[in-house]
Amino acid sequence: GALAAAGERLSTGSNAKKLDTKPDADDSTERKLVDVIPHFELLLEGEIDWSSPPKPQPDVPVEVQVEIQVYSVRDIDIGNQSAQLVINSKLYWTDYRLTPAIRRHYQENPYTTFAIPDDLWRPGFACDSFEEKYHFIQPDRDASKDVYVVDRHKGILMVEMNFNGAVDNPMALDDFPFDEDSIDVAYCGYLNRAGGWAHPQDFVFRPCSENPIQMFCRDIAPEWSLIGTWYSYDEKEVGSYFFWGIVVRRRFSFFYVYNVLIPQIFIFGFTLMCHALDPIDEVSDRLGLATTMYLVSIALQYVIADSLPKSSTMTRLDWLVFNSSSMILLSVFETALLYLIFGPRLRGAEEVAEHYDEDRITLNKVDLWFVVISALFYGTW
């Protein structure tokens, strides 16, 4: 009798559709519904406000389960620190106010669609990771067109929202070009209420399964390969947050190895070969070779500049190029310094120069130690 009275109030309410809530013949069914659905008696006292959140208890928020499907990850832009994503987000929740009517409807009419009230409460979220800051993803049509019943027995409802656009993707380039990138996205629960957007202190996000992020990538940025996904969730005083991300690894590191790393190693090697020339008698040839190698290194930096990320921090590749150029330039200075120190004492005939043999041995030792230390230092990088 109580369920029948509730059905009459639902059908005559201004903000509700007519729902089939006739009680079963068996009184035990009525008692089960009252036991399973908390505070079901409150619905029998008056007209239902469908726009209010269906809290199971007055002080208990609605649990909204999140499922994310990623269809495309492309255009991972190092310069703009962004990435293009095509994602589909599904939110699941249970509205205990509709559960009896949903069960009854599909018992009697299993091949028809359940009529959802137009102004039914639905969750939504905002995301400041999108290029458009605080981009709100919220159904903008009537609930009867957006909300679907996905479980007829438990009365689970679902709404899905799509996004296709750019997201912010700050990248740590310290290990470039042997780096990994995590495209991180943060969902913050929001509700569209009369008077504007408000924080949802009445629902919380939870993952729908152990792996709520499903990858259905038709395409991924060609320079990257997919590693996996991650997620976490947190409850704060202002609302609910759901964090997730896609982890990718740079695939074509060999491009930078072949076009930058190997040429720089060869240039540095040719610079060390100039130390085979005598720093006193062949100083002009030695300085000419070392200076030429330095200019070649500078020219290579200009050629590859467009292929390197524009970053204020030094990447691993930047350090390699910087150290290579620095060691080549240091070789030029070392040759000039040896000539200035030992040249006046070793030039001319052997019988004129005092301590010729000792100075020559000292010169060769200094030059040899410079080569060994330079090679070891450069090899560590």
Side-chain angles (χ1 to χ4, degrees), residues 79-96:
N80 296 325
Q81 301 282 285
S82 64
Q84 295 285 333
L85 295 182
V86 177
I87 56 179
N88 173 270
S89 302
K90 296 181 179 179
L91 305 181
Y92 301 90
W93 77 100
T94 301
D95 194 325
Y96 68 94

Side-chain angles (χ1 to χ4, degrees), residues 1-272:
L3 287 174
E8 290 295 329
R9 282 191 288 271
L10 288 176
S11 62
T12 57
S14 59
N15 295 328
K17 286 188 173 182
K18 185 176 181 179
L19 302 178
D20 186 3
T21 56
K22 296 180 181 179
D24 293 334
D26 188 1
D27 293 339
S28 62
T29 304
E30 177 182 343
R31 290 194 297 271
K32 290 180 180 178
L33 290 176
V34 174
D35 293 339
V36 170
I37 305 174
H39 293 279
F40 186 75
E41 295 86 348
L42 296 178
L43 301 179
L44 309 180
E45 298 178 358
E47 183 177 319
I48 297 178
D49 180 14
W50 295 111
S51 62
S52 62
K55 295 183 178 181
Q57 301 286 348
D59 57 345
V60 177
V62 181
E63 180 177 307
V64 178
Q65 297 184 351
V66 182
E67 181 182 17
I68 300 168
Q69 297 176 342
V70 182
Y71 291 98
S72 178
V73 181
R74 63 184 187 276
D75 297 338
I76 301 179
D77 193 334
I78 299 176
N80 296 325
Q81 301 282 285
S82 64
Q84 295 285 333
L85 295 182
V86 177
I87 56 179
N88 173 270
S89 302
K90 296 181 179 179
L91 305 181
Y92 301 90
W93 77 100
T94 301
D95 194 325
Y96 68 94
R97 302 169 299 186
L98 290 177
T99 302
I102 292 174
R103 291 175 179 173
R104 184 72 177 182
H105 173 86
Y106 284 110
Q107 286 176 359
E108 298 182 354
N109 306 286
Y111 302 106
T112 60
T113 303
F114 180 78
I116 299 292
D118 287 336
D119 58 345
L120 182 69
W121 178 93
R122 291 160 293 169
F125 57 85
C127 181
D128 60 358
S129 302
F130 296 148
E131 197 171 63
E132 179 185 349
K133 293 298 184 183
Y134 297 103
H135 181 97
F136 297 100
I137 298 184
Q138 174 80 16
D140 55 2
R141 302 186 300 175
D142 293 339
S144 59
K145 301 178 182 179
D146 285 330
V147 178
Y148 304 93
V149 178
V150 295
D151 191 313
R152 300 180 178 185
H153 301 288
K154 298 180 180 179
I156 299 178
L157 306 178
M158 183 268 289
V159 63
E160 61 179 340
M161 291 153 283
N162 300 309
F163 175 79
N164 182 357
V167 299
D168 291 334
N169 183 32
M171 302 175 65
L173 300 174
D174 296 341
D175 293 329
F176 178 86
F178 310 102
D179 53 337
E180 296 180 357
D181 178 33
S182 178
I183 305 173
D184 302 332
V185 181
Y187 285 173
C188 175
Y190 272 76
L191 287 175
N192 190 3
R193 297 177 177 172
W197 296 92
H199 285 283
Q201 298 179 351
D202 40 20
F203 74 94
V204 293
F205 284 135
R206 291 292 182 269
C208 67
S209 63
E210 294 183 358
N211 186 21
I213 305 172
Q214 303 176 12
M215 301 297 297
F216 298 97
C217 288
R218 295 187 297 268
D219 60 334
I220 193 169
E223 191 178 346
W224 301 84
S225 59
L226 178 66
I227 296 180
T229 60
W230 67 271
Y231 74 92
S232 65
Y233 54 90
D234 187 20
E235 293 182 57
K236 298 184 181 293
E237 296 180 358
V238 296
S240 179
Y241 293 81
F242 189 84
F243 308 95
W244 62 279
I246 305 168
V247 182
V248 292
R249 177 184 292 128
R250 193 178 301 277
R251 176 184 297 172
F252 298 141
S253 300
F254 186 75
F255 170 82
Y256 300 96
V257 173
Y258 183 77
N259 292 281
V260 182
L261 177 60
I262 294 179
Q264 287 288 350
I265 292 176
F266 278 120
I267 293 173
F268 179 73
F270 285 128
T271 304
L272 293 183

